């Protein structure tokens, strides 16, 4: 994990909530399964997540996946974790976000956001990404990465809107050719004042 230190002292994101102007990122719960299926039960989203994740066919499989995510987060070192994305105004669950160690060695941290199709095009993924970056950098991390499959133009646009820069292509992660984007703490702080993003 890049830039560990204080980030390694605490485990899990059980109570971590990340609040942005329009969103609340909060830990997943198994009872989110039906709402989560609007994100992870569609090919529009999951075709870009394979092989790390495939489309969930029903609420039962989604519930099991959420249970595994909750257990996974209990073992992760902060700032790594997974969050449901809700609209602050209505509480509607519209997506998911994660900061996770990249395979195969778990040295680099990957940031990712997925939204249900009706929530595309409103800047919500970028807003969630800014919230995640503030939280991660405040936790002691020095840099974050995004890996994007070729032809995933929406993924590229989101990485760039968060402020990430393209650093090349690699087959290092997930055993496939991916475009790599990076966001460094100093660059982020230069363009965004880091405030209190997590409670």
């Amino acid at each position: 994990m890049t830039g560990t230190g204080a980030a390694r002292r605490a485990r899990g994101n059980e109570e971590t909530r990340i609040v942005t102007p329009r969103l609340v990122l909060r830990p997943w719960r198994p009872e989110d399964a039906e709402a989560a299926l609007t994100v992870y039960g569609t090919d529009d989203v999951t075709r870009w997540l394979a092989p790390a994740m495939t489309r969930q066919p029903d609420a039962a499989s989604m519930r099991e996946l959420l249970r595994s995510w909750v257990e996974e987060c209990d073992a992760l070192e902060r700032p790594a974790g997974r969050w449901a994305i809700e609209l602050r105004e209505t509480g509607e669950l519209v997506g998911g976000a994660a900061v996770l160690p990249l395979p195969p060695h778990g040295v680099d941290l990957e940031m990712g956001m997925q939204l249900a199709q009706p929530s595309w095009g409103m800047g919500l993924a970028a807003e969630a990404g800014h919230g995640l970056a503030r939280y991660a950098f405040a936790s002691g991390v020095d840099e974050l990465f995004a890996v994007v499959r070729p032809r995933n133009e929406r993924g590229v646009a989101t990485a760039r809107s968060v402020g990430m820069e393209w650093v090349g292509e690699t087959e290092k992660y997930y055993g496939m050719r991916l475009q790599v984007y990076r966001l460094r703490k100093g660059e982020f702080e230069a363009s965004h004042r880091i405030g209190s993003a997590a409670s």
Side-chain angles (χ1 to χ4, degrees), residues 80-96:
R82 293 182 182 271
W83 294 265
I85 302 175
E86 293 181 342
L87 298 179
R88 282 184 69 177
E89 189 173 328
T90 65
E92 178 188 0
L93 195 154
V94 296

Side-chain angles (χ1 to χ4, degrees), residues 43 51 94 98 120 123 135 145:
D43 289 326
V94 296
W120 292 359
Y135 169 64
F145 293 88

Side-chain angles (χ1 to χ4, degrees), residues 34-45:
E34 291 284 353
L37 207 57
T38 66
V39 184
Y40 300 107
T42 68
D43 289 326
D44 286 341
V45 173

Side-chain angles (χ1 to χ4, degrees), residues 68-184:
S68 73
W69 285 357
V70 171
E71 291 177 8
E72 173 192 30
C73 287
D74 288 343
L76 290 172
E77 297 165 341
R78 289 184 184 172
R82 293 182 182 271
W83 294 265
I85 302 175
E86 293 181 342
L87 298 179
R88 282 184 69 177
E89 189 173 328
T90 65
E92 178 188 0
L93 195 154
V94 296
V99 174
L100 296 171
L102 273 163
H105 305 298
V107 175
D108 299 325
L109 280 179
E110 173 187 16
M111 177 172 67
M113 295 76 62
Q114 301 85 40
L115 294 177
Q117 195 276 335
S119 297
W120 292 359
M122 296 184 279
L124 296 178
E127 185 172 324
H130 288 139
L132 283 179
R134 286 189 188 96
Y135 169 64
F137 292 145
S139 298
V141 169
D142 296 320
E143 57 185 8
L144 293 166
F145 293 88
V147 293
V148 182
R149 291 180 67 171
R151 300 185 305 280
N152 183 359
E153 295 177 6
R154 186 171 294 278
V156 169
T158 298
R160 291 194 180 281
S161 68
V162 173
M164 292 184 147
E165 293 186 356
W166 185 77
V167 293
E169 291 190 351
T170 185
E171 294 182 6
K172 174 181 175 182
Y173 309 118
Y174 300 110
M176 62 170 57
R177 181 159 291 280
L178 296 165
Q179 297 180 42
V180 181
Y181 291 82
R182 179 178 59 203
L183 182 64
R184 290 181 166 152

Side-chain angles (χ1 to χ4, degrees), residues 12-25:
N13 70 328
E14 315 82 33
E15 301 301 325
T16 301
R17 289 165 50 90
I18 300 168
V19 180
T20 71
R22 294 180 292 171
L23 304 172
V24 174
L25 281 65

